[in-house]
Amino acid sequence: MVDVLVCVKRVVDSSSEVVLTEDAQSVDGRFAGFTMSAHEECAVELTVQLTADAGTARVMTLGDADAVEQLRHALAVGCSDATHVVADANAFGPADVAREIAAVVHDHDTQLVLLGNDAADSGDFQVGIRLAYELGWPVVNGASTVSVADGTVTASGTGPDGHETYRVPLPAVVTVLEGGIEPRYPTVPGRMKAKRVPIEERQPTTEPTGPSRVRLLRPPPAPSVVQVLGEGADAAPAVVDVLEQLGVLSR
Amino acid sequence: MILVLVETSLEGEATEVSLEALTLARSLSTAGSDRPVDAVVVGQPPDELLATLGSYGVRRVHALTGEAFTSYAAAAWASGLLSVRHGAGSDTVMAAGTPRGNEVMAHVAARAGVAMAANVLRVEGLTPFVVTRQVVGGAALEEMRLADRLAVLTVAGHAVEPTPAADPGSAELVVETPEIADADLVARVVSTEAPEPDLSGDLTSARVVVGAGRGAGSADGFADLLELTDLLGASLGVSRVVTSLGWRPHHEQVGQTGSRISPDLYVPCGISGAIQHWAGCSSAKAILAINTDAEAPMVTRATYAVIGDLHEVVPAINAEIRRRRG
Ligand SMILES: Cc1cc2nc3c(=O)[nH]c(=O)nc-3n(C[C@H](O)[C@H](O)[C@H](O)COP(=O)(O)OP(=O)(O)OC[C@H]3O[C@@H](n4cnc5c(N)ncnc54)[C@H](O)[C@@H]3O)c2cc1C
């Protein structure tokens, strides 16, 4: 039995074009919509699996009132409890977020915290690691499988030399990387149940020191230089000419 | 002094992305206060590695050795780096923006209580220290100020062309065996399984990559693409849709949440070129897109394109290659 806290972040769905707010301080999600970071969807799935037999699966987020949508999603796929630290996430840097998560951990007797390896928007790679230092717990990063037995967490993921395994004692922090696991979709009964779960609302424990952002920018568009070699199978000789010119056929 | 963590391959060579990070570090050193660039490597470096680092303008190579460094533990690496930094007095610590580089730098930043900038593309100014980095998977950039006494950053893959120094020197080797606390060894790799050999090969270093997306149609729709991969001696890279649908394994994925590739030629077949995929392949020197949609972003950003169904185009290319080879 293990009590797991999984941390999720409401981010702009960047599958369509990214638009910046007028003050260039954040990404404008009004048109694109919002989602949970991809790695965190996997962290939620692992949490649900780890607690399927016993233990609590608590999901938390730090974000504005709308971030409740991501909490409800996690509840709909099997998390049992939820905590919402209501705050403007843009004002919180990675160290600030780690501190707020640590406060939730302390209040809920958590033994294992799962987070995404990095958030899809800020790409900071830091919250999980800073949280571990805040708590004085070991941290495994970039895991795609996690299991718990006899007070030990076994987590594994792909490293530069192959598939790497870590074994750390509880309590611990693990950051999850997309890939080893398929997140489930909410079912209709799951959604109905999620609507009824009471969500613990809290205020941040301290004033954020803020991210170190000056401003956001759009990358300059790459000029199109495409040379169309033809249509359909008839283009094959022209393609192979190009492969020869580029020297990639010389095997 | 600028301290750069240099990652090495199994053969003991500096990885390309680490050489890129060294190149950026050297440009800071020459643009600013003549601060020397030192490297940190884990384990005893072979002579060839020392020679390479010298040719990249590294003044000193600090080799972290001892039992604590026999298997990977991010906290131990960070502790070792900070002890080198302490001894040598550096104000900037950086690494390549690899999973390991980002992880170790995040430990360094957390331990030192300073900010960290991940995936930096360029440095805008030294006083104050302002960097531009990739966010939202490369769909946006962020200017970020690193105002602390120690600047910690990682360099985005292929943001900089790796270039040896104009005046190469020979790097001095300093072997260090710092004290590592037991707590920093709790999370260490206990076993490593070599990856199964497959057609994805080493995507990040492949010269040619054949890409496959939803256009492949199904798990069974890869036969011609695999043949093209084989004929070109290439690696296979796929889009996230392909791995999500379970058609191919995740380690073949190219993009924001997959591998970042920089081949001489990328041949994306039936891939739309969504920004998250583009984040992983934009460093390809040439792109030859095969797609039914002439307006797909991958086509409009490609160097060459063929408009058509990959299930017709790819077999015809394979046949033409076989014909020319006789
Ligand atoms: C946080 C996050 C992270 C992500 N990370 C990644 C990532 O790492 N890598 C990644 O790839 N994606 C990633 N994505 C997903 C990305 O947004 C796209 O959904 C995905 O890349 C689309 O894959 P696709 O191009 O194969 O499919 P589609 O977008 O469906 O495009 C299929 C293309 O194939 C063409 N086509 C169809 N049939 C044929 C045919 N018979 N012959 C030729 N062409 C054909 C179509 O014209 C179209 O252009 C991420 C998304 C998010 C939100």
Side-chain angles (χ1 to χ4, degrees):
Chain A
M1 150 143 174
V2 61
D3 291 331
V4 184
L5 176 73
V6 59
C7 306
V8 303
K9 182 176 184 188
R10 177 178 170 86
V11 294
V12 171
D13 182 347
S14 55
S15 354
S16 51
E17 209 192 332
V18 163
V19 180
L20 304 181
T21 53
E22 237 164 61
D23 64 0
Q25 287 302 311
S26 50
V27 177
D28 192 338
R30 277 176 304 172
F31 311 106
F34 291 85
T35 178
M36 187 185 286
S37 283
H39 303 310
E40 291 159 10
E41 287 185 354
C42 296
V44 167
E45 177 60 34
L46 280 166
T47 301
V48 172
Q49 292 185 10
L50 285 168
T51 53
D53 297 330
T56 48
R58 176 174 294 273
V59 58
M60 74 147 290
T61 194
L62 181 149
D64 64 17
D66 294 334
V68 82
E69 202 185 309
Q70 278 58 51
L71 294 177
R72 297 267 178 225
H73 176 91
L75 291 166
V77 294
C79 285
S80 50
D81 301 273
T83 298
H84 187 177
V85 182
V86 187
D88 172 14
N90 284 321
F92 283 68
D96 302 321
V97 177
R99 209 171 40 243
E100 295 305 328
I101 299 173
V104 175
V105 168
H106 287 311
D107 286 354
H108 287 286
D109 279 342
T110 302
Q111 297 151 294
L112 177 62
V113 186
L114 299 189
L115 307 92
N117 185 69
D118 56 287
D121 55 354
S122 54
D124 272 328
F125 296 91
Q126 294 167 58
V127 173
I129 289 168
R130 287 187 187 269
L131 172 68
Y133 281 95
E134 196 74 43
L135 297 168
W137 294 1
V139 54
V140 176
N141 232 39
S144 50
T145 72
V146 181
S147 60
V148 179
D150 304 326
T152 299
V153 183
T154 305
S156 70
T158 305
D161 307 330
H163 198 73
E164 296 174 337
T165 301
Y166 294 78
R167 240 170 253 124
V168 295
L170 286 172
V173 176
V174 177
T175 77
V176 175
L177 199 62
E178 181 194 53
I181 194 148
E182 202 46 48
R184 71 189 74 183
Y185 290 103
T187 57
V188 174
R191 280 186 200 280
M192 300 302 287
K193 195 179 125 239
K195 278 192 188 157
R196 295 191 300 269
V197 176
I199 290 178
E200 179 200 27
E201 271 191 18
R202 340 175 10 133
Q203 298 303 312
T205 55
T206 50
E207 277 296 307
T209 51
S212 314
R213 172 170 296 164
V214 178
R215 62 180 174 141
L216 291 177
L217 313 158
R218 290 291 316 274
S224 178
V225 289
V226 61
Q227 182 186 337
V228 177
L229 299 174
E231 288 191 17
D234 294 346
V239 169
V240 183
D241 287 347
V242 166
L243 297 176
E244 279 181 345
Q245 280 163 28
L246 294 174
V248 298
L249 269 192
S250 48
R251 261 213 323 156
Chain B
M1 190 259 288
I2 303 169
L3 198 57
V4 184
L5 171 67
V6 170
E7 292 180 64
T8 52
S9 66
L10 279 176
E11 294 75 37
E13 290 166 0
T15 58
E16 173 114 340
V17 282
S18 288
L19 296 178
E20 294 169 6
L22 280 175
T23 307
L24 183 82
R26 211 180 55 235
S27 76
L28 292 185
S29 153
T30 43
S33 52
D34 273 346
R35 288 171 302 167
V37 176
D38 279 14
V40 170
V41 298
V42 172
Q44 188 75 32
D47 290 347
E48 297 77 37
L49 177 59
L50 277 181
T52 305
L53 297 181
S55 74
Y56 271 77
V58 170
R59 176 189 65 164
R60 236 175 245 150
V61 178
H62 305 265
L64 299 178
T65 57
E67 206 282 323
F69 296 99
T70 48
S71 66
Y72 175 66
W77 282 34
S79 166
L81 264 161
L82 282 170
S83 91
V84 171
R85 182 234 165 194
H86 188 69
S90 85
D91 52 11
T92 309
V93 179
M94 61 167 89
T98 58
R100 211 146 260 194
N102 280 317
E103 181 180 15
V104 175
M105 288 304 114
H107 275 269
V108 167
R111 297 172 91 99
V114 299
M116 160 185 163
N119 288 325
V120 166
L121 295 173
R122 52 182 183 269
V123 175
E124 301 293 344
L126 291 175
T127 40
F129 199 95
V130 176
V131 297
T132 297
R133 68 183 197 102
Q134 287 176 330
V135 290
V136 203
L141 306 177
E142 178 187 43
E143 258 178 36
M144 182 175 169
R145 190 175 287 128
L146 291 169
D148 300 303
R149 64 196 183 286
L150 174 68
V152 180
L153 59 114
T154 67
V155 184
H158 315 306
V160 182
E161 186 72 28
T163 321
D167 51 349
S170 58
E172 179 196 345
L173 174 64
V174 187
V175 177
E176 314 213 6
T177 312
E179 278 277 305
I180 301 296
D182 288 347
D184 291 333
L185 294 167
V186 173
R188 72 190 299 180
V189 172
V190 292
S191 68
T192 306
E193 273 169 55
E196 281 180 28
D198 60 35
L199 271 173
S200 72
D202 184 3
L203 269 176
T204 50
S205 61
R207 267 192 70 213
V208 183
V209 175
V210 171
R214 195 198 298 270
S218 69
D220 299 330
F222 281 78
D224 299 319
L225 292 159
L226 292 175
E227 186 184 3
L228 178 61
T229 307
D230 186 45
L231 285 168
L232 296 177
S235 288
L236 181 73
V238 301
S239 74
R240 186 179 185 220
V241 166
V242 168
T243 57
S244 300
L245 291 168
W247 296 348
R248 303 289 307 175
H250 184 268
H251 65 259
E252 293 181 354
Q253 184 171 312
V254 168
Q256 180 187 342
T257 51
S259 296
R260 294 191 177 213
I261 60 170
S262 55
D264 292 342
L265 177 66
Y266 182 41
V267 191
C269 305
I271 297 183
S272 60
I275 187 78
Q276 296 87 358
H277 188 84
W278 186 250
C281 68
S282 58
S283 307
K285 292 206 175 69
I287 293 179
L288 194 166
I290 299 173
N291 201 301
T292 44
D293 178 5
E295 301 300 322
M298 186 59 90
V299 173
T300 56
R301 287 166 164 175
T303 331
Y304 308 97
V306 175
I307 311 306
D309 184 337
L310 71 90
H311 297 294
E312 294 166 14
V313 179
V314 174
I317 296 171
N318 292 344
E320 181 67 14
I321 294 175
R322 284 196 304 271
R323 193 185 65 74
R324 291 199 197 179
R325 283 196 177 146

